Amino acid sequence: MAGSEQPREASGRRSRLRSFLLGGVVGASAVAAGIRRARRRRGRPVQAGLAAFESAPCYRELLERERSDGP
């Protein structure tokens, strides 16, 4: 019986090793994709908070409308 268990253990180990290696490759590619995305985002200027809202075209239109309506 001991002889018949060794091939099963060996195939199980190979299967686990293959799965581990495949997971490592998938994980590494996900990290690489994330880094590429992060680099692309840096090129664009980002406004935070109220500055982003105040520079929006719809807000500027609202201000112009309020100025033209008067007090």
Side-chain angles (χ1 to χ4, degrees), residues 8-21:
R8 286 185 194 168
E9 287 182 24
S11 73
R13 284 182 185 169
R14 269 188 250 124
S15 177
R16 285 193 304 267
L17 178 62
R18 193 178 310 130
S19 177
F20 176 76
L21 292 175

Side-chain angles (χ1 to χ4, degrees), residues 11-44:
S11 73
R13 284 182 185 169
R14 269 188 250 124
S15 177
R16 285 193 304 267
L17 178 62
R18 193 178 310 130
S19 177
F20 176 76
L21 292 175
L22 182 60
V25 169
V26 170
S29 66
V31 168
I35 289 171
R36 270 188 257 129
R37 286 181 132 203
R39 284 183 183 168
R40 272 192 250 151
R41 289 183 188 164
R42 287 185 200 158
R44 188 169 15 141

